[in-house]
């Protein structure tokens, strides 16, 4: 899975950014081969107040993926740092995000960092609406497909915010860390993990919110990714999303999306133009979903956009 996509009209300039961490002195510690129980708060968080009463850890406790789902034997999943991911998780990365040449990963990260300014300027109004639910609340937030970190400025400046960003492309880390610093997020409160959305290396009910923007267009398994989002969310937690979705049937835009879809997947690292992602989120088992749509002129064929909040 790659968690990014780029617009054909701008030769991968309008991009869907969905998406070797250094070990920190506190929080987000890795557990390896530990059978000790993990203490997580089960305190229900209401939609109106997301302040946790106790701090759930970002321990990467081992969890199991069903063999029937992965088509392989069961094995424990552990946190995957970009520099040296465990062998078992490396196999998962290769399954959902086949290896790309190093030069391509670097090139794509650079494009993502420099060629999305027009898109980000136009989508800012919608992001501000939904990310306002996270800012300044001292939350523990997971961003899937963090890419170069364009969303961090919306929610990472509040006191006590802790962020884990996952992305299959390790070349994104330096850009994401720069964005975190620009957003005012302390280095000790940010963790980058090379990982895929289909197998998130975090404990059950360990985060207060999950952020995903333009991610589900390019994961290999949308339903599996959404299942993982629900798993890591605390009760009452939020999934905040922006995704581009297929145009209405019978429209010229839908016709063009179908024609260009194979080329888009090739040029934009697996991005699909015609997925019904809004419907996927609505039926993923969240307690409620607030879903809105918008058209962005800078996104050309990558329209319409579905954005909103899903509650666990």
């Amino acid at each position: 899975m790659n968690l990014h996509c780029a617009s054909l009209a701008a030769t991968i300039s309008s991009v869907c950014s969905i998406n070797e961490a250094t070990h920190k002195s506190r929080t987000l510690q890795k557990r390896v081969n530990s059978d000790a129980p993990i203490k997580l708060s089960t305190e229900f968080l209401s939609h109106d107040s997301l302040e946790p009463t106790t701090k759930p850890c970002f321990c990467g406790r081992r969890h199991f993926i069903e063999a029937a789902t992965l088509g392989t034997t069961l094995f424990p999943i552990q946190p995957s740092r970009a520099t040296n991911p465990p062998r078992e998780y490396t196999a998962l990365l290769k399954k959902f995000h086949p290896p790309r040449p190093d030069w391509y990963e670097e090139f794509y990260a650079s494009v993502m960092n420099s060629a999305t300014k027009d898109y980000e300027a136009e989508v800012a109004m919608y992001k501000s609406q939904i990310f306002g639910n996270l800012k300044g609340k001292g939350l523990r937030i997971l961003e899937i497909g963090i890419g170069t970190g364009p969303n961090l400025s919306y929610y990472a400046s509040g006191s006590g915010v802790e962020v884990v960003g996952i992305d299959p492309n390790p070349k994104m880390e330096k850009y994401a860390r720069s964005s975190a610093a620009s957003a005012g997020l302390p280095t000790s409160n940010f963790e980058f993990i090379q990982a895929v959305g289909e197998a998130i290396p975090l404990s059950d009910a360990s985060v207060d919110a999950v952020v995903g923007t333009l991610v589900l267009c390019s994961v290999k398994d949308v339903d599996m990714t959404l299942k993982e989002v629900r798993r890591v969310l605390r009760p009452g937690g939020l999934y905040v999303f922006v995704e581009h979705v297929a145009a209405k049937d019978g429209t010229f835009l839908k016709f063009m999306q179908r024609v260009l879809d194979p080329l888009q997947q090739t040029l934009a690292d697996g991005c699909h133009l015609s997925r019904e992602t809004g419907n996927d989120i609505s039926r993923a088992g969240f307690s409620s979903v607030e879903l809105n749509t918008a058209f962005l002129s800078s996104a050309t064929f990558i329209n319409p956009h579905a954005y909103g909040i899903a509650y666990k």
Side-chain angles (χ1 to χ4, degrees), residues 63-238:
H63 67 279
F64 290 86
I65 300 297
E66 292 293 334
T69 304
L70 290 179
T72 184
T73 57
L74 292 173
F75 53 82
I77 297 173
Q78 300 170 359
S80 171
R81 270 51 179 191
T83 52
N84 188 25
R87 183 178 304 173
E88 295 87 350
Y89 203 88
T90 299
L92 271 183
L93 284 171
K94 290 180 179 179
K95 177 180 177 65
F96 292 110
H97 181 73
R100 276 72 163 167
D102 192 66
W103 68 264
Y104 177 84
E105 298 277 51
E106 183 64 59
F107 170 75
Y108 199 77
S110 176
V111 169
M112 292 284 290
N113 188 58
S114 61
T116 61
K117 290 182 174 57
D118 289 344
Y119 171 83
E120 289 296 335
E122 188 174 4
V123 78
M125 175 176 65
Y126 306 106
K127 286 187 176 182
S128 295
Q129 293 175 20
I130 57 178
F131 286 128
N133 292 273
L134 305 179
K135 193 170 183 179
K137 294 185 178 180
L139 304 180
R140 283 140 194 88
I141 300 173
L142 164 68
E143 180 162 353
I144 58 174
I146 191 169
T148 60
N151 298 321
L152 289 167
S153 61
Y154 293 96
Y155 66 80
S157 59
S159 175
V161 173
E162 295 177 354
V163 180
V164 172
I166 68 170
D167 200 286
N169 183 350
K171 302 300 184 181
M172 296 291 183
E173 181 176 9
K174 59 179 177 289
Y175 299 110
R177 288 193 176 278
S178 176
S179 295
S182 297
L185 186 66
T187 301
S188 59
N189 284 23
F190 180 68
E191 178 86 347
F192 181 98
I193 303 175
Q194 185 186 12
V196 292
E198 290 91 342
I200 298 171
L202 297 181
S203 304
D204 296 354
S206 60
V207 299
D208 301 303
V210 176
V211 170
T213 62
L214 305 178
V215 175
L216 299 181
C217 56
S218 52
V219 299
K220 283 203 169 184
D221 192 320
V222 175
D223 292 338
M224 191 173 180
T225 300
L226 289 171
K227 184 177 180 180
E228 281 288 272
V229 168
R230 290 180 59 233
R231 179 185 66 78
V232 300
L233 273 174
R234 292 175 48 125
L238 308 181

Side-chain angles (χ1 to χ4, degrees), residues 232-302:
V232 300
L233 273 174
R234 292 175 48 125
L238 308 181
Y239 169 41
V240 183
F241 60 88
V242 179
E243 298 287 349
H244 70 83
V245 299
K248 290 183 178 181
D249 289 337
T251 63
F252 177 72
L253 179 56
K254 182 61 172 289
F255 169 77
M256 290 302 299
Q257 287 175 342
R258 287 173 173 166
V259 170
L260 296 173
D261 203 22
L263 182 58
Q264 174 77 355
Q265 291 178 46
T266 299
L267 294 180
D269 213 8
C271 171
H272 293 71
L273 289 173
S274 55
R275 284 182 170 174
E276 303 286 350
T277 308
N279 294 337
D280 294 331
I281 295 172
S282 295
R283 63 170 181 255
F286 293 99
S287 62
S288 64
V289 178
E290 299 173 3
L291 184 66
N292 306 282
T293 58
F295 276 81
L296 304 180
S297 61
S298 60
T300 59
F301 298 115
I302 302 178

